[in-house]
Amino acid sequence: QVQLVESGGGLVQAGGSLRLSCAASGRIFSIYAMGWYRQAPGTQRELVARMTRAGTTNYADSVKGRFTISGDIDHVYLQMNSLKPEDTAIYYCNVVVHAQEDYWGQGTQVTVSS
């Protein structure tokens, strides 16, 4: 089992930056992929960025060039630059283990004011 805790969200003006952090504990040795998703009110949860142990990364078109995902043994980070009001959402950390089970954090609120 994997436990995830997000942090780093907050209120920022348009054009500003935030760095989200996801701390993983538990069965982290079996993690296959980690990523960030977000969900705004009235919308479906969408992929923001994802990385695998193989080194591949994927980004939503809306954040390419502005967001960067990175990680170490037990953390995954999302550096968010040039934030826009459209980025306002709850951001969730997600991990997939080798048993093809996925886990989610509780989310951290990001609010970008114009």
Side-chain angles (χ1 to χ4, degrees):
Q1 187 174 343
V2 177
Q3 295 81 43
L4 305 173
V5 179
E6 302 100 332
S7 62
L11 175 64
V12 65
Q13 293 182 344
S17 298
L18 285 173
R19 185 173 185 258
L20 304 184
S21 177
C22 176
S25 61
R27 212 174 76 192
I28 58 176
F29 58 87
S30 64
I31 291 175
Y32 163 73
M34 303 185 73
W36 289 93
Y37 293 71
R38 68 186 182 187
Q39 187 169 22
T43 71
Q44 290 186 305
R45 187 173 300 183
E46 66 173 348
L47 170 70
V48 177
R50 182 176 61 194
M51 63 186 300
T52 71
R53 292 182 62 194
T56 60
T57 58
N58 297 96
Y59 293 92
D61 288 341
S62 60
V63 307
K64 286 181 179 177
R66 299 189 297 120
F67 292 8
T68 303
I69 189 169
S70 61
D72 54 29
I73 296 298
D74 54 4
H75 288 82
V76 62
Y77 306 96
L78 185 69
Q79 179 66 46
M80 305 185 294
N81 298 325
S82 302
L83 283 162
K84 305 174 181 179
E86 302 89 82
D87 296 317
T88 296
I90 299 175
Y91 284 71
Y92 298 91
C93 182
N94 168 258
V95 303
V96 179
V97 301
H98 290 310
Q100 295 187 275
E101 299 175 333
D102 63 335
Y103 299 88
W104 297 87
Q106 292 296 308
T108 185
Q109 177 70 49
V110 171
T111 303
V112 184
S113 62
S114 60

